């Protein structure tokens, strides 16, 4: 939780580039040398911490280390009560900025001292929600929504928690990749939560990102979405999620591929070990019909995490586009072993049909009929299967 808060605070300082949580958390509980961490993340300094709790008493040890020499640049011990956790986070962000020799304007200092909630329990619930949301599985996404809702029940003015609700509803409504919810049910609720967050705090970058995604996917209002993304990036230049969604959703959908790839690469720079961000850059290369670069990027993603179903099945799509049908089937099969997502099974079945096994596509069409009884099945999946059977009328 402390790590997440410090990243969010320091990322708002214009002349500091701070790596995002998904990349940083990969080093948790690993005895990796700070030189290696610095090299892999491309950073000049690493902040490490250790917390000890005795009842309501907290002791926090922090150390700022030069990533090249491993010399300590600064260190401090904080002794606080658990009830002072929110104030402690602000103090640490200010101390770290000062010792990084960051030249802070008055506006920067105000950003660092900003408190999103005065409730330690609401904050804890929000962090648990974000942890689960970042896992990007259907089960975890549903549980994250519960945590975000509990957080706003404790603090109805907790704008960040409303963005969590919006983001959870968005992903639960993405029947193609993650969720079972009908978009007509989930996306209006997402929009309501995002607008509530902005009503509470219209300078919250995360809320502008949430609204931008909804403007694209529900209102089909790409002009407003672009304005919202740009406002988010203006407020928080080093927000990996803002660059990521702007790239993969908005710019790619509009065919502005050079800009989309540039934004995608920027999001990878900010969060170099994020599976979703790396895989989606590969997907953006695919949309641009730059298939070799798509394959290379997705293979690089799988070097980070070979167990990512999302990377395997996107790699299958790119290989199929290149004409490597057997390679695509192999990747789809790996993805199937890692996920029960209907999209994964559909891509495998249509590839098998293209390879001559038409029954695989027919069986999958029957399965989708059964699956649609209890969850959203997007029409695109059936269309792919009909195409693999050369049934163009049904596909249309």
């Amino acid at each position: 939780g402390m790590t997440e808060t410090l990243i969010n605070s320091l990322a708002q300082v214009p002349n500091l580039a701070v790596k995002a949580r998904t990349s940083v958390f990969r080093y948790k509980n690993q005895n990796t040398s700070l030189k290696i961490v610095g090299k892999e993340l491309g950073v000049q300094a690493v902040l490490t911490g250790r917390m000890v709790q005795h009842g309501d008493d907290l002791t926090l040890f922090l150390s700022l280390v030069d990533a090249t020499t491993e010399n300590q640049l600064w260190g401090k011990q904080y002794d606080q009560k658990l009830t002072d956790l929110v104030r402690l986070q602000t103090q640490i962000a200010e101390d770290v900025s000062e010792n990084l020799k960051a030249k802070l304007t008055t506006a920067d200092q105000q950003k660092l001292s900003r408190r999103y909630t005065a409730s330690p329990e609401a904050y804890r619930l929000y962090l648990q929600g974000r942890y689960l949301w970042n896992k990007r599985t259907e089960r975890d996404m549903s549980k994250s929504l519960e945590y975000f809702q509990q957080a706003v029940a404790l603090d109805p003015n907790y704008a960040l928690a409303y963005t969590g609700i919006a983001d959870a509803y968005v992903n639960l409504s993405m029947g193609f990749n993650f969720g079972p919810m009908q978009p007509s049910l989930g996306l209006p609720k997402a929009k309501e939560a995002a607008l509530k967050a902005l009503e509470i705090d219209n300078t919250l970058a995360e809320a502008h990102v949430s609204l931008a995604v909804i403007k694209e996917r529900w209102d089909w209002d790409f002009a407003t979405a672009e304005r919202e993304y740009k406002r988010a990036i203006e407020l928080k230049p080093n927000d990996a999620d803002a660059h990521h969604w702007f790239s993969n959703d908005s710019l790619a959908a509009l065919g502005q591929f050079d800009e989309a790839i540039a934004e995608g690469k920027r999001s990878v720079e900010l969060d170099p070990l994020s599976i979703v961000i790396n895989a989606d850059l590969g997907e953006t290369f695919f949309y641009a019909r730059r298939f070799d670069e798509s394959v290379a990027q997705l293979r690089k993603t799988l070097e980070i995490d070979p167990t990512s179903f999302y990377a395997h099945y996107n790699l299958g799509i790119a290989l199929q586009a290149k004409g490597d049908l057997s390679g695509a089937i192999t990747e789809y099969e790996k993805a199937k072993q890692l996920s029960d997502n209907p999209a994964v099974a559909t891509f495998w079945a249509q590839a098998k049909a293209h390879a001559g096994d038409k029954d695989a596509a027919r069986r999958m069409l029957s399965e989708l009929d059964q699956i649609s009884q209890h969850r959203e099945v997007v029409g695109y999946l059936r269309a792919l299967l009909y195409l693999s059977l050369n049934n163009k009328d049904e596909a249309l």
Side-chain angles (χ1 to χ4, degrees):
M2 191 68 73
T3 305
E4 178 102 11
T5 299
L6 285 171
I7 290 170
N8 285 339
S9 296
L10 295 171
Q12 296 179 74
V13 180
N15 55 346
L16 278 183
V18 187
K19 299 304 175 186
R21 62 165 306 287
T22 36
S23 290
V24 172
F25 276 36
R26 288 189 167 269
Y27 297 100
K28 185 177 173 62
N29 297 326
Q30 295 186 22
N31 294 320
T32 310
S33 84
L34 296 186
K35 275 188 178 180
I36 292 174
V37 173
K39 184 176 180 181
E40 289 180 349
L41 293 181
V43 296
Q44 294 169 298
V46 179
L47 183 69
T48 63
R50 183 168 61 89
M51 185 181 286
V52 178
Q53 181 178 349
H54 295 290
D56 290 336
D57 295 319
L58 285 178
T59 301
L60 184 65
F61 305 90
L62 285 187
S63 180
L64 186 66
V65 178
D66 185 304
T68 303
T69 64
E70 294 193 281
N71 293 331
Q72 179 168 301
L73 302 171
W74 166 79
K76 188 171 180 178
Q77 176 178 323
Y78 298 84
D79 297 294
Q80 298 283 347
K81 294 289 185 184
L82 190 60
T83 51
D84 293 331
L85 188 61
V86 177
R87 185 171 62 81
L88 174 62
Q89 292 154 0
T90 301
Q91 182 61 54
I92 292 170
E94 291 174 348
D95 289 347
V96 172
S97 297
E98 181 181 337
N99 285 280
L100 284 169
K101 302 296 187 281
K103 296 178 181 178
L104 301 178
T105 65
T106 302
D108 293 337
Q109 289 172 335
Q110 288 174 345
K111 288 178 182 177
L112 288 179
S113 62
R114 179 197 236 171
R115 298 181 188 179
Y116 297 101
T117 180
S119 168
E121 179 63 11
Y123 175 66
R124 182 185 68 79
L125 288 164
Y126 170 76
L127 289 176
Q128 285 185 292
R130 273 297 169 200
Y131 170 75
L132 292 168
W133 186 86
N134 277 301
K135 288 190 169 186
R136 293 296 209 280
T137 70
E138 181 181 320
R139 180 181 173 185
D140 291 319
M141 206 74 66
S142 297
K143 191 66 180 173
S144 79
L145 178 59
E146 293 177 22
Y147 280 122
F148 294 138
Q149 289 170 331
Q150 290 174 41
V152 299
L154 281 175
D155 182 355
N157 290 314
Y158 194 178
L160 264 179
Y162 283 106
T163 68
I165 291 172
D167 295 344
Y169 273 123
V170 164
N171 276 2
L172 285 168
S173 303
M174 288 172 59
F176 186 71
N177 287 330
F178 301 116
M181 195 176 290
Q182 289 185 355
S184 59
L185 295 177
L187 291 180
K189 291 180 180 179
K191 186 176 182 179
E192 180 183 352
L195 289 172
K196 178 65 175 176
L198 287 170
E199 178 187 322
I200 296 167
D201 183 358
N202 66 6
T203 67
L204 188 61
E206 291 86 347
H208 286 283
V209 173
S210 299
L211 184 59
V213 175
I214 297 157
K215 280 292 177 184
E216 292 164 351
R217 298 189 182 182
W218 183 240
D219 295 334
W220 295 97
D221 183 353
F222 284 88
T224 301
E226 182 174 354
R227 286 198 300 272
E228 291 294 325
Y229 281 126
K230 288 183 175 178
R231 177 60 177 150
I233 292 168
E234 178 187 356
L235 289 166
K236 197 172 177 183
N238 296 321
D239 185 347
D241 287 334
H243 292 282
H244 167 220
W245 289 104
F246 189 27
S247 162
N248 191 246
D249 267 34
S250 190
L251 293 171
L254 294 172
Q256 298 174 20
F257 296 121
D258 289 342
E259 298 97 317
I261 289 165
E263 288 290 332
K265 287 181 176 179
R266 178 63 179 143
S267 65
V268 169
E269 285 175 13
L270 291 166
D271 200 351
L273 300 183
S274 165
I275 299 305
V276 172
I277 286 176
N278 272 279
D280 278 351
L281 176 57
E283 190 180 50
T284 301
F285 279 124
F286 167 80
Y287 292 147
R289 309 183 82 77
R290 291 162 61 169
F291 301 133
D292 288 338
E293 290 166 278
S294 177
V295 168
Q297 176 61 32
L298 289 161
R299 291 199 190 283
K300 180 181 174 184
T301 305
L302 286 166
E303 288 175 11
I304 300 170
D305 183 3
T307 68
S308 169
F309 90 89
Y310 189 61
H312 278 296
Y313 108 84
N314 273 295
L315 177 56
I317 294 169
L319 288 170
Q320 189 170 347
K322 276 173 58 70
D324 183 359
L325 194 56
S326 63
I329 290 171
T330 298
E331 293 302 324
Y332 295 143
E333 286 174 346
K334 290 177 183 176
K336 269 186 73 178
Q337 291 168 9
L338 295 163
S339 172
D340 60 357
N341 189 301
V344 173
T346 296
F347 274 89
W348 173 82
Q350 60 84 31
K352 291 289 284 184
H354 283 299
D357 183 2
K358 302 294 185 184
D359 285 341
R362 295 188 186 99
R363 286 194 301 271
M364 192 64 219
L365 280 166
S366 296
E367 280 187 45
L368 290 180
D369 288 338
Q370 309 241 330
I371 293 168
S372 66
Q373 301 300 313
H374 58 85
R375 64 169 289 160
E376 178 77 2
V377 173
V378 295
Y380 179 71
L381 298 180
R382 287 192 175 91
L384 279 179
L385 293 166
Y386 284 127
L387 283 173
S388 71
L389 295 169
N390 203 31
N391 189 340
K392 294 177 183 175
D393 288 339
E394 290 289 344
L396 286 169

